[in-house]
Amino acid sequence: MRFDLTPAQAAVRDRAVAFARDEVAPVARAADEAGAVAVHLVRRMGELGFLAGPIDPAYGGSGLDHVSFALVYEALGWADSSVRGFLAVHGGLVGLCLRDHGTEAQKRAWLPRLATGEAIGCYCLTEPEAGSDAAAIATTAVRDGDGWVLDGTKIWITNGNLAHLALVFARDPGIAAPPDKPHRQICAFLVPTDTPGFGRSKMPGRELGHRASDHAVIELRGVRVGADAVLGAPGGGFRVAMGALDHGRLGVAAGAVGVGQACLEASVDFARARRAFGRRIGDFEMIQAALADMAAEVEAARLLVYRAAWLKDQGRPTTRETSMAKLFATEAALRAADQAVLIHGGRGYSNAYPVERHWRDIKGLQIYEGTSHIQRIVIARELLGREAAGAPALG
Ligand SMILES: Cc1cc2nc3c(=O)[nH]c(=O)nc-3n(C[C@H](O)[C@H](O)[C@H](O)COP(=O)(O)OP(=O)(O)OC[C@H]3O[C@@H](n4cnc5c(N)ncnc54)[C@H](O)[C@@H]3O)c2cc1C
């Protein structure tokens, strides 16, 4: 058993850490306050080869293995979950779906543009009445000649207002499916966002975290797509969606390791500098215990993430390992962020210090790409078998 990174993986990590430290972290607070995506960082991620990290160089990608891509996510999560979230949707969910299910023509049409950031991707699964229960989506795809007409509403779509390409999941009622297997009607479509009938707007309300992300409501009204827009097979869309989440969850888990690491480092620095009762607060045992727990949990999360990524690189099934990594890493980072705010005292309650932003952002990681409840269901299913765990199809 080896725990060392290869020289190539270490080089990617060093590039990602330098980018996160020198270019992402310095603008994270301003982007959070402005509530705007730092668009210049998208272009930079293209230049650095991150936007299409695991995509084959023949399509403009960098051919990174999944361990390397996890290291990129970890570095970005350390600096800003909004930037990491952009990449996870664009490069992880959309890019990897194209890689895994796209025809040659679909890959040639989109992957090189996604690799540079000339085109931005979004992933449209969630609806007002279907989140965790993704098989319950109501958006329809009705056959019309050679193609389909899409109608429905998607919410919480990261990158949705910026995107040029939307990966849309919709139900074709013309596909025969047993009443207890509604997911067999779901199809995945590649929809250029300038297609007539494709409407979008900002999500209403102000988000708790990820404020430098773009979250959209997508309204599909009579959107016509051709047969060449189907990703995978008609009726195979649920498989595409779940395969994407299997990749995506690893990215979220790696990002959570970065958040936990950032909270730990900030807390250690603060505990060394801040004095109370004539001593450094780091001299108090309760602070030391909190730091020790944070360090142990972040390291355990990191090992789960790297192992799941390594298994993916071996082409082995990772559903259980990825869900375990996502569950543990996000919950550990949540505890780390909570402790970090507490250790910073009143300062932790102010956006003058980044722990406040990490504390707000980490709740998002606990929710999207399958909440912690859903990860537990996935893990239990793997332990007990699908029937015993008794859960519906999961998003
Ligand atoms: C910042 C952010 C970005 C997002 N980006 C995207 C995106 O780009 N694309 C996209 O499609 N979606 C996106 N989402 C949506 C996200 O994936 C959903 O919010 C998530 O899947 C939960 O769905 P829901 O909000 O409908 O909650 P619900 O599914 O209604 O769940 C509500 C509660 O019930 C629990 N629950 C549900 N079913 C069960 C069960 N069987 N057993 C136990 N508990 C259960 C859930 O865990 C949760 O606690 C994003 C969300 C956020 C917050």
Side-chain angles (χ1 to χ4, degrees), residues 123 125-126 131-132 156-158 215 367-369 371 373-374 377:
Y123 175 91
L125 181 62
T126 304
S132 303
W156 276 117
I157 305 307
T158 302
H215 299 130
I367 291 169
Y368 52 61
E369 306 210 18
T371 65
H373 300 137
I374 297 305
I377 291 172

Side-chain angles (χ1 to χ4, degrees), residues 5-302:
L5 299 178
T6 65
Q9 290 165 342
V12 173
R13 180 202 54 198
D14 293 348
R15 204 160 73 236
V17 165
F19 172 63
R21 183 192 58 222
D22 300 339
E23 300 185 53
V24 182
V27 298
R29 178 177 164 189
D32 181 72
E33 282 182 357
V37 177
V39 181
H40 70 284
L41 295 177
V42 175
R43 198 185 59 247
R44 282 290 293 136
M45 287 195 282
E47 291 166 1
L48 289 163
F50 297 156
L51 288 183
I55 304 297
D56 194 300
Y59 303 103
S62 307
L64 300 184
D65 60 17
H66 288 278
V67 170
S68 299
F69 207 37
L71 293 165
V72 173
Y73 283 133
E74 181 181 335
L76 294 179
W78 176 88
D80 187 348
S81 289
S82 289
V83 177
R84 202 271 317 146
F86 176 97
L87 181 64
V89 170
H90 172 94
L93 296 181
V94 180
L96 289 177
C97 273
L98 268 161
R99 182 196 72 176
D100 293 348
H101 304 281
T103 62
E104 189 58 24
Q106 289 169 334
K107 290 186 204 175
R108 294 252 168 245
W110 287 108
L111 285 176
R113 297 175 60 206
L114 291 171
T116 59
E118 179 197 336
I120 290 173
C122 68
Y123 175 91
C124 308
L125 181 62
T126 304
E127 300 182 358
E129 300 305 327
S132 303
D133 186 6
I137 58 170
T139 295
T140 52
V142 175
R143 274 274 188 185
D144 183 44
D146 279 353
W148 282 265
V149 177
L150 310 183
D151 282 281
T153 302
K154 302 287 180 178
I155 60 170
W156 276 117
I157 305 307
T158 302
N159 306 345
N161 290 299
L162 296 170
H164 304 84
L165 172 65
L167 175 53
V168 176
F169 297 90
R171 171 181 309 289
D172 178 350
I175 297 176
D180 62 334
K181 305 250 186 285
H183 61 282
R184 291 195 186 164
Q185 291 182 321
I186 294 175
C187 309
F189 297 96
L190 295 169
V191 184
T193 56
D194 58 2
T195 308
F198 189 101
R200 47 191 169 173
S201 57
K202 192 179 174 320
M203 276 293 287
R206 187 164 194 214
E207 291 92 335
L208 175 68
H210 290 74
R211 289 184 179 166
S213 292
D214 162 30
H215 299 130
V217 177
I218 306 284
E219 303 276 2
L220 304 157
R221 298 289 172 257
V223 174
R224 284 179 185 278
V225 291
D228 57 353
V230 180
L231 188 67
F238 195 71
R239 202 175 134 247
V240 174
M242 294 302 111
L245 292 179
D246 204 43
H247 292 310
R249 284 168 183 166
L250 184 61
V252 177
V257 172
V259 171
Q261 180 69 30
C263 290
L264 173 64
E265 289 173 16
S267 299
V268 168
D269 288 348
F270 194 83
R272 284 200 176 114
R274 179 69 180 164
R275 298 183 72 81
F277 300 95
R279 300 166 72 184
R280 301 181 320 166
I281 63 166
D283 293 333
F284 298 126
E285 281 183 18
M286 273 192 274
I287 301 287
Q288 292 174 0
L291 294 176
D293 286 350
M294 284 162 80
E297 291 199 13
V298 169
E299 197 57 31
R302 182 175 282 121

